[in-house]
Amino acid sequence: MTEPEAPDVLVVGAGPSGLLLGGILAKSGARVTVLESRTTPNPQTRASTLHARAMEIFDSHGVEFAPELPWHAHGHYGGLPVDLSQVRSGRAGVWKCPQPELVRTLTGWASRHGVRLLYGEHVESVREQGGRCLVKTRTGTTFSGTLLVAADGHRSTVRSLLGIECDGPPATRVLVQADLHHCRLATRLFERRGRYTVTAAPLTPEITRVMIHDPHWPEGEARTLEDLRTAWRTSTGETLPAEPSWLRTFSDETKVAHRLVEGRVVLCGDAAHPLIPIGGQALNTSLMDAEALGWRVLRYLDDGDPQALLDYQDERSSWVNVLAGRLRAQARLLFDIDPAAAERKALVAENLDSDEVYRRRIADCLAGVDVCYLTPAHAVRRRLTPDQLRQAGVVHSASRVQRALVSDNGTSVAAWIRPDHHWYPVARDEARQDWDEAVLPLDDKGTEVTP
């Protein structure tokens, strides 16, 4: 059976990145079908933290939350508190939104813009034929699109079918995370209890999220509820008071796919980069993927030139490799208990306390507002803040590159402004310096290897 009305773009995966991308494309006139293997939306709370850049993206595309999301001033870097209320953004701070609520909001928004969402469509094969990408699902239906975007998570079926591997250091530890309903536990934020690192914090008024790391757990082995209960009792002296609604074992895996573009298939979100979920970085990075990809897909649909997709691959791969290094640095601060790790964490804490420039760089990193891209021709400078966008007089939700004057350190500069609000001067100089400054090490003031 073949789908009767072929869309321009097939998106596999109805998570946050797939829904955001689908809506961005559909509201600019593209025909979009989203295929989801589950028969209903995933009820697991999973990720719950949104940072400034993600909220800016939602604002620019008209995604509204009702009621307003809870706001907090602080995030953390490797377990050390960081004030995010002063980053250069109209959405400075941290916003809490359990993933099912985010998916519900994005589903409604994308549907209003014409996205067709089909549940129970598990992808079994992907191939190209006659200038189209054909996807066959377990229901026996073959879907056809000009382009296929895989946004189907860190265990991506599409990525596996294409044989695309991921690069990065091997995982070295496992952690257990669980959500408990209507229970009372003392709040613990990355608290060291002997060899254990433990967290217990309210996710919503009804849900408490717990997480624990035991360095004695071997990597690659899933842990059970009894493992969690035993480790929690041993480390804190508390007995977990309820059955979890959700429990998972995850590793410190932090990798990036070898390539993000394969013919008419593009990887987006967790499918492109399995990252350890520290401080919401995996979710927020996936949303930025969708923003970075959307306007390029529209260009591709206009002229068929694959260079727009290859530019996405080059830019996002380079930056996500930088982010992966930062996440590995945070994991060292969070979980390692050897003397060298303790010394490193003390140094980072001292820098955060005493060095304003360092503190601002860490905050910008966590908020997602420091992204910079290096291409063979130029570096795209950090994104424009909402105030700078207003001053430049550009359209927030444009789907094409615009030319305008930008205020750069008090100087008016002729610039190209992209739909993802990154910009570069018409005279492209000092590109390498932009990039080098953007990827300076964050976890200490020594040397950190970056791609």
Side-chain angles (χ1 to χ4, degrees), residues 405-439:
L405 293 177
V406 169
S407 177
D408 184 25
N409 293 322
T411 302
S412 187
V413 177
W416 296 112
I417 301 173
R418 308 184 334 175
D420 56 4
H421 301 165
H422 288 273
W423 72 281
Y424 54 88
V426 174
R428 301 171 182 175
D429 57 357
E430 300 181 350
R432 186 77 229 184
Q433 180 180 343
D434 284 348
W435 176 258
D436 290 345
E437 289 177 355
V439 301

Side-chain angles (χ1 to χ4, degrees), residues 77 80-82 345-356 358-360 362-363 442:
Y77 186 83
L80 298 167
V82 179
K345 190 162 189 174
L347 175 61
V348 173
E350 179 184 347
N351 291 338
L352 284 172
D353 183 60
S354 62
D355 188 331
E356 182 179 352
Y358 180 84
R359 187 163 57 244
R360 185 173 64 250
I362 292 286
L442 292 172

Side-chain angles (χ1 to χ4, degrees), residues 307-377:
Q307 189 58 49
L309 305 180
L310 295 175
D311 286 346
Y312 159 81
Q313 171 178 268
D314 292 344
E315 289 187 358
R316 291 304 289 168
S317 293
S318 294
W319 186 259
V320 174
N321 272 301
V322 172
L323 177 61
R326 293 175 175 180
L327 288 172
R328 286 191 288 272
Q330 287 198 64
R332 292 197 301 271
L333 298 177
L334 272 171
F335 305 119
D336 288 352
I337 57 176
D338 58 279
E343 182 179 350
R344 178 184 295 271
K345 190 162 189 174
L347 175 61
V348 173
E350 179 184 347
N351 291 338
L352 284 172
D353 183 60
S354 62
D355 188 331
E356 182 179 352
V357 173
Y358 180 84
R359 187 163 57 244
R360 185 173 64 250
R361 290 198 68 234
I362 292 286
D364 287 350
C365 157
L366 296 177
V369 301
D370 71 333
V371 177
C372 181
Y373 297 126
L374 180 69
T375 71

Side-chain angles (χ1 to χ4, degrees), residues 73-85:
H74 287 82
H76 75 89
Y77 186 83
L80 298 167
V82 179
D83 184 358
L84 299 179
S85 66

Side-chain angles (χ1 to χ4, degrees), residues 120-420:
E121 297 288 357
H122 182 87
V123 174
E124 288 195 327
S125 68
V126 175
R127 61 189 175 90
E128 289 189 31
Q129 179 178 305
R132 305 284 288 178
C133 193
L134 304 183
V135 175
K136 185 177 181 180
T137 66
R138 198 168 286 171
T139 63
T141 306
T142 298
F143 297 88
S144 167
T146 303
L147 196 70
L148 167 66
V149 177
D152 53 342
H154 71 285
R155 293 189 177 92
S156 170
T157 298
V158 174
R159 189 183 68 219
S160 177
L161 288 171
L162 296 178
I164 299 176
E165 301 293 333
C166 294
D167 266 340
T172 60
R173 53 171 65 89
V174 298
L175 302 93
V176 174
Q177 192 176 65
D179 288 347
L180 305 173
H181 287 248
H182 306 292
C183 72
R184 293 182 179 275
L185 286 174
T187 298
R188 305 175 186 275
L189 299 178
F190 308 107
E191 188 176 298
R192 290 285 174 83
R193 307 285 295 188
R195 71 174 188 259
Y196 302 90
T197 305
V198 299
T199 290
L203 193 61
T204 70
E206 296 81 25
I207 302 173
T208 298
R209 172 159 293 178
V210 299
M211 185 182 73
I212 190 164
H213 169 248
D214 180 353
H216 289 183
W217 285 336
E219 193 285 319
E221 291 186 13
R223 312 316 300 180
T224 65
L225 174 58
E226 187 54 39
D227 291 329
L228 170 62
R229 290 189 181 280
T230 299
W232 197 267
R233 186 168 53 249
T234 301
S235 59
T236 69
E238 299 173 341
T239 298
L240 292 180
E243 293 288 322
S245 61
W246 172 60
L247 181 146
R248 68 164 173 169
T249 301
F250 65 98
S251 74
D252 61 348
E253 179 181 58
T254 302
K255 298 183 177 181
V256 181
H258 286 183
R259 56 193 182 279
L260 306 187
V261 178
E262 178 75 16
R264 292 179 180 272
V265 181
V266 186
L267 305 186
C268 178
D270 290 346
H273 40 70
L275 302 176
I276 183 172
I278 295 177
Q281 293 296 306
L283 169 61
N284 286 264
T285 301
S286 294
L287 295 170
M288 285 186 274
D289 276 1
E291 168 78 353
L293 180 58
W295 65 281
R296 288 191 164 100
V297 169
L298 293 171
R299 279 180 50 191
Y300 177 81
L301 294 176
D302 279 348
D303 58 25
D305 186 353
Q307 189 58 49
L309 305 180
L310 295 175
D311 286 346
Y312 159 81
Q313 171 178 268
D314 292 344
E315 289 187 358
R316 291 304 289 168
S317 293
S318 294
W319 186 259
V320 174
N321 272 301
V322 172
L323 177 61
R326 293 175 175 180
L327 288 172
R328 286 191 288 272
Q330 287 198 64
R332 292 197 301 271
L333 298 177
L334 272 171
F335 305 119
D336 288 352
I337 57 176
D338 58 279
E343 182 179 350
R344 178 184 295 271
K345 190 162 189 174
L347 175 61
V348 173
E350 179 184 347
N351 291 338
L352 284 172
D353 183 60
S354 62
D355 188 331
E356 182 179 352
V357 173
Y358 180 84
R359 187 163 57 244
R360 185 173 64 250
R361 290 198 68 234
I362 292 286
D364 287 350
C365 157
L366 296 177
V369 301
D370 71 333
V371 177
C372 181
Y373 297 126
L374 180 69
T375 71
H378 60 270
V380 177
R381 297 187 178 182
R382 296 174 179 82
R383 104 283 180 243
L384 294 174
T385 66
D387 285 344
Q388 289 173 311
L389 285 170
R390 283 191 291 271
Q391 292 169 8
V394 300
V395 179
H396 281 229
S397 57
S399 59
R400 300 291 184 271
V401 175
Q402 303 170 78
R403 182 165 177 166
L405 293 177
V406 169
S407 177
D408 184 25
N409 293 322
T411 302
S412 187
V413 177
W416 296 112
I417 301 173
R418 308 184 334 175
D420 56 4

